[in-house]
Amino acid sequence: PSIIPLSTFPSAVVAVYETGAKGAAPKWDARALDKVDGKPLWQAALPGEPLIGGLAIDRQGRAIVSLKDGGVISLGPPLVGTK
């Protein structure tokens, strides 16, 4: 699989990568791993292919992913103070 962007923040590493079998239509996922023990914190399927360098982390630890089709999505733990 291909890994496109990779980014870090104080407690985790976030990667966006291609999944799926060879010859099948590409699918993309994002995953955050704990920096200390490597355990998954969250994982999400992306609705399309990400841009190279299109990953940013906000101050609350959410991943902002820019997609090749012009879309932008936010992934990660729930925002503090929201339901």
Side-chain angles (χ1 to χ4, degrees):
S2 299
I3 296 177
I4 299 290
L6 181 71
S7 190
T8 64
F9 62 101
S11 62
V13 174
V14 178
V16 174
Y17 56 95
E18 184 178 1
T19 63
K22 287 189 176 188
K27 294 180 181 179
W28 297 89
D29 281 357
R31 178 182 289 195
L33 303 173
D34 186 281
K35 275 187 174 178
V36 175
D37 60 18
K39 290 182 181 177
L41 299 173
W42 55 261
Q43 180 175 347
L46 301 179
E49 185 174 350
L51 288 173
I52 293 174
L55 173 63
I57 307 297
D58 72 13
R59 66 183 182 167
Q60 293 181 317
R62 296 185 57 79
I64 312 303
V65 182
S66 299
L67 304 174
K68 279 194 170 182
D69 67 3
V72 177
I73 59 172
S74 176
L75 305 165
L79 295 174
V80 175
T82 63
K83 294 182 181 186

